[in-house]
Amino acid sequence: MIPDTVILWEWLAFAVRWTHVITAIAWIGSSFYFIALDLGLQKAPGMPKGAHGEEWQVHGGGFYHVQKYLVAPERMPEHLTWFKWESYSTWLSGAALLMVTYWAGANLFLIDPAKADLAIWQAILVSGGSLAIGWLIYDGLCKSPLGQRPTVLMLLLFAALVVMGWGYDQVFTGRAALLHLGAFTATIMTANVFLIIMPNQRIVVADLKAGRAPDPKYGKIAKLRSTHNNYLTLPVIFLMLSNHYPLAFASEYNWLIAALIFLMGVTIRHFFNTMHARKGYQWWTWAVTTMLFVAIMWLSALGLNQESYDEAMARPMTASEERFAQAEGFDDVAQTVMGRCSMCHAREPVWEGIHHAPRGLFLETPADIARAAQQVYVQAGLTDAMPPANITGMEDDERRQIIRWFRKVGAFGVAGL
């Protein structure tokens, strides 16, 4: 049997996610390495002219001798390794994953009709446009006189991130809100490399090749952007992982949780930056980080940001939900899903040990089931991933019933579109 489009799409999403994780590991790993290297450099007698510091390291059975020039060496070396593709490939694969998961699955993962009943094209426009506009605002602030006041600039960046997080939560699902805040932050980081750091470095290289003395200002500009990237890395990782934890993204105060995560990124990086610079261990940062995390747990317990069961039942179905709700076999599928899945995937789960619907996915109203049609098809129809270990005893006939129903509408097209 030729796989239907949904199967191909699921494997495409898996491949893109795998690529994104691999490239992110490469980028974050090289970033952490160079931060530690840069902070650990030491002055030593006999260093070449223009060298700022050096470091001896041992790894893999060999010794490495690294020297750094603040501006540039007197002569351009024949072999020069550029660290850029790790950043570019991470952003490109992340953008592809955003499109595959949130744009193609907009009805389930991106749009929250209870907040803003957007058309798919409108939601995609807000999604992509906010990333571009956010970068332009950030870049303008960095190029303004505030660029000479890095602490004030950092505080403004933090305020902008908090506002963006709150704004995303007013429009998108909680899951999409935190994911987009992470994508916005990652866009700043990669654009810093692509549009600022690398072009400035190329100017320095061109000056060296032409026999001119490079202008030190390009190094200072790159250093400012690199410092921002340093402190933004850990929050981005949290935000990218947050879609697996409803207590983070489905909380009424998810935007405030994200704000505290950015502060945790500062305290954690400050500890390691100070340690790598051989300035001692700032143990107070651990206490502050712990208090911030306790505050996050407290905020998450104040209530989930979700419509009630009565509100969900009263809300009119969207056009996409109507398509699946009116398809032949929906009533039987809805009965199966409510009997086998809704005890966990409910606004108030009744299954022992389950306090919040897994991944924030609800399956207790006809609209819920129609909205999650593709997820139900893949997780409980094509595969036996759900219910976990088939704990509620879903029958093979019930799974075939789900397959037949979904294929009446979405077999050869992505359900979100």
Side-chain angles (χ1 to χ4, degrees), residues 394-407:
M394 183 177 286
E395 301 287 345
D396 290 343
D397 284 345
E398 293 173 323
R399 297 187 190 277
R400 286 191 287 267
Q401 185 183 69
I402 291 172
I403 293 173
R404 287 193 299 271
W405 158 70
F406 181 84
R407 288 182 174 174

Side-chain angles (χ1 to χ4, degrees), residues 313-370:
M313 287 295 292
R315 178 180 62 80
M317 288 190 184
T318 64
S320 176
E321 291 167 353
E322 285 282 1
R323 283 193 302 132
F324 284 96
Q326 293 176 2
E328 181 183 345
F330 174 75
D331 291 340
D332 292 333
V333 168
Q335 184 176 351
T336 296
V337 172
M338 289 179 186
R340 306 294 190 185
C341 310
S342 65
M343 60 282 293
C344 295
H345 289 277
R347 288 154 182 85
E348 295 182 8
V350 296
W351 191 272
E352 185 178 357
I354 301 293
H355 304 290
H356 307 284
R359 302 192 72 178
L361 180 65
F362 304 126
L363 297 171
E364 59 178 344
T365 72
D368 290 339
I369 297 167

Side-chain angles (χ1 to χ4, degrees), residues 3-27:
D4 62 42
T5 305
V6 171
I7 296 175
L8 297 175
W9 195 264
E10 285 289 317
W11 278 108
L12 172 64
F14 194 171
V16 173
R17 189 179 299 275
W18 189 22
T19 301
H20 185 53
V21 170
I22 292 170
T23 56
I25 290 171
W27 183 20

Side-chain angles (χ1 to χ4, degrees), residues 112-115 304-317 321 347 362 364-368:
D112 186 343
K115 295 179 181 177
L304 296 182
N305 187 16
Q306 64 191 35
E307 60 184 354
S308 67
Y309 176 82
D310 290 337
E311 291 171 336
M313 287 295 292
R315 178 180 62 80
M317 288 190 184
E321 291 167 353
R347 288 154 182 85
F362 304 126
E364 59 178 344
T365 72
D368 290 339

Side-chain angles (χ1 to χ4, degrees), residues 247-280:
L247 281 174
F249 70 75
S251 167
E252 183 178 354
Y253 300 101
N254 55 10
W255 61 275
L256 193 51
I257 287 174
L260 296 183
I261 288 296
F262 281 107
L263 295 180
M264 286 178 64
V266 172
T267 57
I268 295 171
R269 289 308 303 160
H270 181 71
F271 176 84
F272 285 101
N273 289 345
T274 305
M275 180 185 71
H276 292 314
R278 298 182 174 88
K279 294 181 181 179

Side-chain angles (χ1 to χ4, degrees), residues 119-135:
I120 290 177
W121 70 268
Q122 292 173 320
I124 292 175
L125 184 62
V126 173
S127 172
S130 64
L131 302 183
I133 294 172
W135 157 254

